[in-house]
Amino acid sequence: CWNAPRSPRLGIASNQDHVAYGHLSVTTARDLLRDLAHSATDSVPDDAALQLCPHPLEQDCACRKPNPGMLLAIMRHYGIQPADTMFVGNHEIDREAAARAGTAFAWSQDFFAQTE
């Protein structure tokens, strides 16, 4: 999430249906998200900024992307408006979640591309 002039805020929104199917626990899924954030940014956001949807694919819920629930929760946590937020993702459901949340979207391969 971006909110000038302050520095960018990191949030992660991840569908984790493997939790519902018993392949991993919520604790393990959250730990993996923390490890991802730390590896990518050398920091770990608050738990409220690490959103995951533990529901099975077959269950309709407000949090599973492309629904905007996780993105809205992260923005509420930081007190940031959709106009000040960019969601970076690698899947069409990520782009759709950003549109439903009213945020800008960037494809991860473009956003993280190395420039020379």
Side-chain angles (χ1 to χ4, degrees), residues 13-70:
S14 179
N15 290 343
Q16 292 290 322
D17 50 274
H18 295 295
V19 171
Y21 302 127
H23 300 296
L24 70 158
S25 68
V26 169
T27 301
T28 299
R30 188 167 297 285
D31 287 346
L32 290 169
L33 293 179
R34 278 191 203 98
D35 290 347
L36 171 68
H38 186 264
S39 293
T41 67
D42 203 29
S43 65
V44 179
D46 299 334
D47 278 352
L50 295 175
Q51 294 287 314
L52 63 91
C53 172
H55 304 111
L57 292 169
E58 303 80 21
Q59 181 179 340
D60 187 29
C61 63
C63 54
R64 172 168 291 286
K65 295 178 294 182
N67 291 326
M70 292 186 286

Side-chain angles (χ1 to χ4, degrees), residues 1-2 11-14 65 71 74 85-91 93-99 103-108:
C1 298
W2 307 96
I12 297 177
S14 179
K65 295 178 294 182
L71 301 180
I74 293 167
T85 301
M86 176 179 288
F87 183 49
V88 178
N90 65 344
H91 196 279
I93 62 169
D94 297 329
R95 188 198 60 75
E96 180 63 26
T103 70
F105 176 78
W107 291 103
S108 57

